[in-house]
Amino acid sequence: MQRNVKIDILDQTEARIMYQWIAEAGWNPGLHDAETFYKAFPTGLIGVKKDNELVGVSSVFKHSPRYACFGNYLVKPEYRGQGFGLLMTRRRLNIAGYRNISLDAAPENQAIYRSVGFRTAYFNQRFEINWQHAPDKLHPNVINLKNVRLLELLEYEKNLFPCKRKALLKAWVTQPGSSAFCFRDHCHIKGFGVLRPCMTGYRIGPLFADTPVIAEHLMQALLQHSLGQPVFCDIPETNPHARHLVHSFGGQPIDFLCARMYRGYEPDLDYPRLYALTSLESG
């Protein structure tokens, strides 16, 4: 390690700086991502400092003893190419230990992750939807997620995420300014989705549904709370119905394609029910 260089866990003030950088980089984080991720993973945001100046940031979210996710990888432009990013990645690998690890890598970062053992599983494409239609009556089975117990959501998504993520899900569905809906049929959850405010417009994620029709009902409910602003969502190529869904609402792909990579193994998930990722930063 270079002299006068250290890696620290970020405090809340530094976490806000981190997400300011991410916004300036054009990644369009949620307005409350800093507080939400800090609440769920208080030791999960890390930074590299040179002479006590924060020069790079990243995250390692330990969802369970067997699974972790890397994200939020960014080095200030004037410090790139000097090894700071690799220092953070090595530290994150040390923190994650023997866990299976996932991340979503931008094209310029995929080579460095391959060099430390990550392999590409598939790609996620970001779409933009501009929904200007007047509010319509929701399907009677679509209800506010506030009326659903957290344990029910965790049980529903057990084949949609590699592990139970109680800390993140609890913080995620209660973000200020967010809208969240569930599709319930005969007391059983058949899908749910969350819309959260971002630096630009809103982002939908996750969006899980048992069928394309249920996904459509949930998407309609979420879009009606977007206040006419652009809505973004990250769609896995593993579910062709997801692409068809966003196209049916006028969605178009934008120049934001990331590779889902794993260091370990690709989990056996129920991809036909996964219509939009929670976020690229959290798996």
Side-chain angles (χ1 to χ4, degrees):
M1 183 178 290
Q2 301 180 40
R3 294 183 62 184
N4 301 321
V5 172
K6 62 179 180 178
I7 296 177
D8 279 339
I9 295 171
L10 302 184
D11 60 27
Q12 285 186 287
T13 299
E14 291 169 329
R16 295 188 186 97
I17 293 172
M18 173 184 194
Y19 282 94
Q20 288 175 2
W21 290 4
I22 290 171
E24 291 167 1
W27 298 355
N28 196 26
L31 289 179
H32 305 287
D33 279 8
E35 294 81 5
T36 300
F37 285 125
Y38 190 87
K39 180 179 180 180
F41 305 103
T43 62
L45 304 177
I46 66 172
V48 58
K49 299 177 180 178
K50 179 176 173 57
D51 298 323
N52 289 321
E53 176 191 357
L54 188 64
V55 301
V57 293
S58 58
S59 62
V60 50
F61 297 150
K62 295 185 288 185
H63 288 285
S64 80
R66 295 185 178 182
Y67 178 65
C69 178
F70 288 1
N72 299 303
Y73 173 83
L74 186 65
V75 176
K76 293 178 72 173
E78 61 268 33
Y79 290 99
R80 292 173 186 171
Q82 301 178 41
F84 293 110
L86 186 57
L87 283 176
M88 288 192 294
T89 295
R90 287 174 174 165
R91 176 61 63 87
R92 290 188 294 172
L93 289 172
N94 180 265
I95 293 171
Y98 291 101
R99 291 173 175 84
N100 191 36
I101 308 169
S102 75
L103 57 83
D104 288 279
E108 64 269 20
N109 294 327
Q110 290 167 22
I112 191 171
Y113 285 121
R114 283 195 294 269
S115 72
V116 292
F118 284 86
R119 296 293 178 266
T120 299
Y122 56 88
F123 290 89
N124 295 306
Q125 174 69 59
R126 181 162 294 180
F127 281 78
E128 178 179 350
I129 303 172
N130 288 280
W131 186 250
Q132 303 294 336
H133 294 256
D136 197 3
K137 186 176 181 180
L138 300 182
H139 191 283
N141 289 19
V142 174
I143 63 173
N144 196 300
L145 210 60
K146 294 179 181 179
N147 300 320
V148 179
R149 294 182 303 150
L150 181 64
L151 290 178
E152 291 182 85
L153 297 180
L154 291 169
E155 179 64 22
Y156 175 77
E157 68 166 26
K158 66 180 181 181
N159 295 319
L160 296 165
F161 198 78
C163 65
K164 286 189 176 181
R165 48 176 180 170
K166 183 177 180 180
L168 177 62
L169 197 58
K170 182 178 180 180
W172 198 259
V173 301
T174 57
Q175 293 182 69
S178 65
S179 300
F181 294 95
C182 164
F183 192 98
R184 190 192 287 277
D185 185 25
H186 295 98
C187 299
H188 296 292
I189 295 176
K190 299 294 184 179
F192 75 89
V194 178
L195 175 88
R196 78 188 198 277
C198 294
M199 297 298 179
T200 299
Y202 291 82
R203 281 169 66 179
I204 288 177
L207 178 57
F208 301 144
D210 286 3
T211 69
V213 172
I214 292 173
E216 182 179 352
H217 289 311
L218 288 169
M219 177 71 85
Q220 182 183 32
L222 295 168
L223 289 175
Q224 289 186 180
H225 286 74
S226 64
L227 306 176
Q229 297 187 50
V231 176
F232 303 88
C233 49
D234 295 305
I235 303 299
E237 67 173 5
T238 49
N239 184 359
H241 292 296
R243 182 177 289 265
H244 176 76
L245 175 69
V246 294
H247 279 312
S248 71
F249 284 93
Q252 295 296 324
I254 62 175
D255 187 18
F256 203 97
L257 181 70
C258 290
R260 170 57 61 92
M261 307 180 77
Y262 289 96
R263 190 175 191 263
Y265 61 92
E266 180 181 357
D268 184 18
L269 302 180
D270 193 355
Y271 289 114
R273 295 165 57 214
L274 203 168
Y275 285 82
L277 302 180
T278 302
S279 75
L280 296 177
E281 300 79 19
S282 64

